[in-house]
Amino acid sequence: MSLLFASCYDANEVDDLLHIIAIGVDSGIMDKWRLTIQFPTLKEPSMGGYGAGGGSGQSEDSGYLSLSVEAPSFFTGIDMLNTTISRRIDFMHTEAIIISEELARSGKLGEFIAPIVRFRQIRRSMHLFISKVPAMEFINSNKPLIGTALSKNI
């Protein structure tokens, strides 16, 4: 029995997780919300600019990719993204939530934020930005100014 309790069945390997740097939230066109996540590619960014494109509007050369999905809720969107990515999404290192000004003015923001705050991976010390442009556009143009660590620049 002691061997059964000493196992690491729920251990998380670094290669199994995808650490999200930023979450973008817009009003959806086809569904209620449009979620955009930004994450590192874990590759060294190339200096020549001849790399292959990837993600939704962002090249792998920057060292970061972003994906967007429209969903009826935050958790449904995360489940949808988890089915398309080979790694499990993890929010323990998320630095910021970016919300479009249009969504903030609409009054639906509390409906989105309330469930997220209770999610165990979301830290309450995370930054919250209101963007004049759509959050997806803000995230796609978000690049490190100094060095390659976007999380330090946020």
Side-chain angles (χ1 to χ4, degrees), residues 68-83:
S68 295
V69 66
E70 290 200 13
S73 72
F74 173 74
F75 298 110
T76 304
I78 297 311
D79 288 341
M80 291 168 68
L81 287 166
N82 270 326
T83 60

Side-chain angles (χ1 to χ4, degrees), residues 22-26 34-37 96-99 112 135-136 139:
I23 306 167
V25 184
D26 292 310
R34 182 187 323 145
L35 302 175
T36 304
I37 58 171
I97 296 178
I98 296 97
I99 297 170
F112 181 81
M136 184 173 95
I139 285 179

Side-chain angles (χ1 to χ4, degrees), residues 25 27 99-109 129-131:
V25 184
S27 294
I99 297 170
S100 66
E101 183 179 23
E102 172 194 341
L103 179 63
R105 289 186 188 274
S106 72
K108 297 189 293 184
L109 186 58
F129 297 121
I130 306 295
S131 170

